[in-house]
Amino acid sequence: MMALQVCVYSTFRFSYCVFALSFLVTTLFCLPDTHPNQIGSLMAFKNEFNLLCNNSITNSWTNDAISFDGVSFDEKTGAVTELKLRGACLYGTLDANSSLFSLHQLRYLDLSYNNLFSSFPSEFGKLSNLEFLDLHQNGFTGEVPSSINNLSRLTYLDLANNKFTSGFPYVYKLTNLSSLDLSNNTFEGKVPEWLWNLPSLTAMSLSHNSLNSFEGSPKASLNSPLVYLLLSSNAFQGSFPNISPSMRYIVAANNNFTGDIPLSMCNPRNLLYVDLSNNSFSGSVPRCLSESLVLLNLRHNNLRRLPDTFSNSSLKMLDVGHNKIRGKLPRSLANCTSLEMINMESNRINDTFLFWMTALPNLQVIVLRSNRFHGPIYSPQHHPLSFPELRIFDISRNEFDGSLPPNYFVNWSTVLVRGLKDYGRPRYIGEFYLLGFHPSIIMNFKGMSMEIEKILTILGLVDFSGNRLGGQIPESIGLLKSIHALNLSNNDFTGHIPSSMAKLTELVSLDLSRNQLSGNIPQELTNLSFLAILDVSYNNLTGQIPQGRQFLEQSDASFEGNNNLCGPPLGKSCSEKNGAPSPQTQQQLKPPKQEHNLTSKATTIGYGSALILLMMIFGLRIGHVVRLRA
């Protein structure tokens, strides 16, 4: 527009303007000088498929188009060099005679997130200039042909999330390959020894296949340049391969590796991330793993001993739950000042309450459930407990005892008192850890255990159940206004239910069952508008059950074992004149406390609407729901 305005004022400038516009038009239509056969090949390739959406990137492709979205041309020759069709809604088979294989100058090809279903055409070997090939998230089947070795310039190969079968693909000639992803297929058999000799390979994912062993000497991998090694969810057995000094990220969860964790794990000086969970490792955790890591996940193994010394100020997550670890926790864990999550559940740890953990200012999750911790959880010398970032605290199924002062929860957790930040979209603890790792926890309610496989950052949970805690429930419990689940069941708490619990306005699940609580259920609890699961069974409560929706929607089981409770949902009318039982009779009505063992028998939950609400609020993905053995 400005050029046209200038032309009005001067004949000289008019001539200049005509020249400028002419040059601009020539540039638009001549750069690049595309070969007609290249345009024809693109149009033919597009017409080989149906489109599953109306906004496919290929909609811009026409015979007279000035530009082609997702396509790059060589400036000198006009040949197609890049084809970026990620999520282009292509649907159909990629045949051997596809026009794609006439684009011999292709260096970059991305067909990921489409619906291409066919065997892997050996004609891919004709695209010998390819440096980048991404076919993940399609429906390719069968074997990867040996012709792939013709792609000698290839640096990136992603075949993940397809339906490839047979043995490990022969890519031994791809000496420039730096990244290889074969995950989420059905490759089986052995990992070949030559793989460790690929001189440029720094990242490899073989997760979610049926691979079962490694060829050759265990030392063959020591000279590999690998930095990332992902082996999760295969059928590997036996010893873990040796680790090269270049390694920084190791993920081998959900296999059946046995024996000791290899001392070659100590070779890398910059090892940051180790996930060996859900295997059968035994023995001790090597001391070197306590020195440099950001994340250490050894959950569900047969390990018996932790390192005596932790000196790593970078460690953010430590999970050794479901092992056979004995003795006391190393006090040197206090040196790990970056710790955000520590999970020691289901071991044989025999220790007192970890007051020294208050030296860890970034802790968000503390899980000590199902161990042999004992003694008081309150000490005048260590009060108030200060965990400013704490949102999940589970010390259930231990042997803690003693009583708690009324101000126990004062300054206990800044996050739970002042509120948890809502980011507007679901965010999960561990979201910012590398490789998309998400820690999990177990949640107890109404005698059930449920696995939360991804923990929302806004979730607040406190579980003291299955201990020997006594005295009155502290009035300061009402300060934890951002808590969603509170479980104090299976203890020896006495006195009234604190009316301050009415301030827990975010509460979804409240379990006070199997204590010695007395008096009325506070009418103020009807203000808890989100309360979906409530259990006050087997106490000494009296009077009429509050008639709020939260109470009327519970089953009779939520109130049983309180002989002097009356009103809906119980069938007992408050106008009935039944004699109160003697204390001895009342004690006989109370069943024994639930044991700590789990059965493998799944149970049916009779409060489906409450469970749905829990899933919505907590972001639950149910791993298993089991009843505690009575």
Side-chain angles (χ1 to χ4, degrees):
M1 181 64 72
M2 183 177 293
L4 290 175
Q5 290 174 343
V6 171
C7 291
V8 174
Y9 303 122
S10 167
T11 302
F12 172 79
R13 294 200 175 182
F14 176 77
S15 300
Y16 173 80
C17 187
V18 170
F19 171 78
L21 290 173
S22 174
F23 177 79
L24 178 62
V25 170
T26 302
T27 301
L28 283 174
F29 284 92
C30 296
L31 289 178
D33 184 13
T34 55
H35 284 243
N37 67 329
Q38 298 286 285
I39 302 299
S41 294
L42 288 173
M43 296 304 300
F45 178 69
K46 171 185 176 180
N47 293 330
E48 291 171 15
F49 306 99
N50 296 318
L51 298 181
L52 294 180
C53 64
N54 296 325
N55 58 345
S56 171
I57 196 173
T58 62
N59 287 345
S60 66
W61 297 9
T62 61
N63 286 317
D64 56 352
I66 297 176
S67 64
F68 289 74
D69 291 342
V71 183
S72 295
F73 299 91
D74 185 271
E75 293 184 359
K76 294 182 179 179
T77 66
V80 176
T81 58
E82 294 185 356
L83 199 53
K84 299 179 178 179
L85 298 179
R86 180 185 179 94
C89 305
L90 304 180
Y91 177 86
T93 59
L94 183 63
D95 295 326
N97 60 355
S98 172
S99 299
L100 173 69
F101 302 119
S102 65
L103 303 175
H104 298 297
Q105 299 304 311
L106 267 179
R107 296 196 298 270
Y108 188 107
L109 177 59
D110 186 350
L111 297 176
S112 62
Y113 288 97
N114 283 287
N115 288 272
L116 308 179
F117 43 90
S118 64
S119 58
F120 193 105
S122 60
E123 281 69 20
F124 267 105
K126 296 179 179 180
L127 304 178
S128 57
N129 288 299
L130 271 182
E131 299 171 8
F132 182 102
L133 178 58
D134 189 347
L135 302 178
H136 87 274
Q137 202 69 42
N138 278 286
F140 289 106
T141 60
E143 300 182 4
V144 178
S146 59
S147 62
I148 198 170
N149 276 301
N150 296 338
L151 308 182
S152 59
R153 298 183 180 182
L154 207 61
T155 62
Y156 183 97
L157 176 60
D158 191 343
L159 304 179
N161 293 89
N162 281 283
K163 299 178 181 178
F164 289 116
T165 56
S166 74
F168 201 93
Y170 290 100
V171 293
Y172 57 94
K173 292 184 179 180
L174 303 184
T175 55
N176 289 310
L177 197 64
S178 63
S179 179
L180 174 64
D181 192 343
L182 304 178
S183 60
N184 289 283
N185 282 286
T186 319
F187 293 115
E188 58 186 10
K190 296 183 177 182
V191 176
E193 186 173 6
W194 51 256
L195 188 66
W196 311 115
N197 296 323
L198 291 178
S200 303
L201 190 63
T202 57
M204 179 171 66
S205 177
L206 307 180
S207 298
H208 296 278
N209 280 287
S210 299
L211 300 166
N212 58 30
S213 58
F214 299 88
E215 281 184 351
S217 167
K219 297 183 179 181
S221 55
L222 284 174
N223 296 322
S224 170
L226 275 171
V227 175
Y228 297 83
L229 177 61
L230 281 65
L231 302 174
S232 292
S233 300
N234 276 280
F236 289 116
Q237 302 180 35
S239 301
F240 196 79
N242 286 312
I243 302 303
S244 68
S246 61
M247 201 77 72
R248 300 189 74 182
Y249 306 91
I250 301 171
V251 181
N254 304 308
N255 284 287
N256 193 29
F257 287 113
T258 56
D260 292 344
I261 296 174
L263 291 179
S264 63
M265 288 273 187
C266 299
N267 291 338
R269 294 184 176 226
N270 297 310
L271 192 62
L272 296 177
Y273 188 114
V274 172
D275 184 354
L276 302 179
S277 59
N278 293 287
N279 279 284
S280 298
F281 288 107
S282 56
S284 300
V285 178
R287 180 175 176 177
C288 62
L289 296 185
S290 68
E291 296 175 352
S292 65
L293 295 178
V294 172
L295 182 147
L296 178 58
N297 186 7
L298 302 175
R299 185 179 181 86
H300 281 288
N301 279 283
N302 297 313
L303 297 165
R304 295 179 178 274
R305 186 178 177 84
L306 290 174
D308 293 330
T309 303
F310 282 81
S311 57
N312 180 7
S313 61
S314 300
L315 187 65
K316 290 187 175 182
M317 203 219 79
L318 174 63
D319 190 342
V320 292
H322 297 274
N323 278 280
K324 298 177 181 178
I325 296 171
R326 298 175 178 271
K328 296 183 177 182
L329 286 185
R331 298 305 189 255
S332 57
L333 277 168
N335 297 323
C336 303
T337 52
S338 296
L339 263 178
E340 296 176 359
M341 175 176 179
I342 183 167
N343 192 335
M344 300 285 171
E345 68 179 319
S346 296
N347 278 285
R348 300 170 185 177
I349 300 169
N350 191 337
D351 204 347
T352 55
F353 187 71
L354 310 178
F355 292 105
W356 50 268
M357 273 192 178
T358 57
L360 303 175
N362 298 303
L363 271 177
Q364 301 176 28
V365 179
I366 301 174
V367 180
L368 307 178
R369 75 195 305 260
S370 297
N371 277 283
R372 297 171 184 171
F373 287 100
H374 56 274
I377 63 173
Y378 166 74
S379 168
Q381 292 81 15
H382 299 92
H383 187 75
L385 291 179
S386 178
F387 297 106
E389 298 299 320
L390 187 66
R391 54 205 68 192
I392 294 175
F393 187 68
D394 185 350
I395 60 171
S396 62
R397 301 178 190 170
N398 281 285
E399 298 171 6
F400 291 118
D401 57 24
S403 59
L404 307 177
N407 64 344
Y408 181 76
F409 294 101
V410 173
N411 296 324
W412 193 67
S413 168
T414 304
V415 169
L416 292 180
V417 170
R418 295 183 181 176
L420 296 158
K421 186 175 181 180
D422 187 349
Y423 294 94
R425 68 169 180 83
R427 290 194 176 186
Y428 300 94
I429 293 177
E431 185 171 283
F432 301 108
Y433 296 162
L434 298 172
L435 305 181
F437 175 79
H438 293 288
S440 64
I441 60 170
I442 302 292
M443 176 181 166
N444 299 320
F445 65 96
K446 299 197 83 163
M448 306 277 188
S449 293
M450 176 177 289
E451 184 173 8
I452 304 177
E453 295 189 347
K454 294 173 70 175
I455 309 169
L456 281 169
T457 55
I458 62 170
L459 174 61
L461 184 153
V462 173
D463 192 343
F464 287 3
S465 64
N467 283 284
R468 301 170 183 171
L469 299 171
Q472 295 188 353
I473 297 173
E475 282 287 339
S476 57
I477 192 74
L479 294 173
L480 308 182
K481 61 182 180 182
S482 296
I483 196 172
H484 297 96
L486 175 62
N487 192 344
L488 304 179
S489 66
N490 259 310
N491 278 287
D492 295 313
F493 286 114
T494 58
H496 293 182
I497 297 174
S499 58
S500 63
M501 283 187 177
K503 298 177 182 179
L504 307 180
T505 54
E506 301 294 321
L507 204 59
V508 177
S509 176
L510 174 61
D511 193 342
L512 304 176
S513 63
R514 292 175 171 81
N515 281 284
Q516 300 178 44
L517 299 172
S518 58
N520 295 335
I521 299 174
Q523 184 68 29
E524 294 90 340
L525 296 188
T526 57
N527 296 327
L528 302 179
S529 56
F530 291 119
L531 191 62
I533 293 180
L534 172 68
D535 193 350
V536 295
S537 62
Y538 296 102
N539 280 285
N540 301 316
L541 299 171
T542 61
Q544 182 171 1
I545 297 171
Q547 295 302 287
R549 172 191 55 79
Q550 308 91 322
F551 294 87
L552 295 176
E553 290 183 352
Q554 305 301 320
S555 66
D556 292 2
S558 296
F559 305 99
E560 66 185 5
N562 293 280
N563 199 52
N564 287 329
L565 275 182
C566 59
L570 293 177
K572 180 180 178 182
S573 171
C574 291
S575 63
E576 295 178 13
K577 295 182 179 180
N578 292 323
S582 65
Q584 181 179 1
T585 305
Q586 182 75 7
Q587 186 65 31
Q588 291 173 352
L589 289 171
K590 187 172 181 179
K593 288 191 176 183
Q594 294 170 316
E595 297 295 334
H596 296 174
N597 297 326
L598 297 179
T599 68
S600 59
K601 182 180 179 181
T603 62
T604 302
I605 301 176
Y607 33 92
S609 60
L611 183 60
I612 292 172
L613 182 58
L614 274 171
M615 293 175 68
M616 292 173 61
I617 294 178
F618 294 165
L620 296 180
R621 177 183 174 191
I622 301 175
H624 57 273
V625 181
V626 293
R627 185 181 297 278
L628 297 175
R629 184 176 299 154

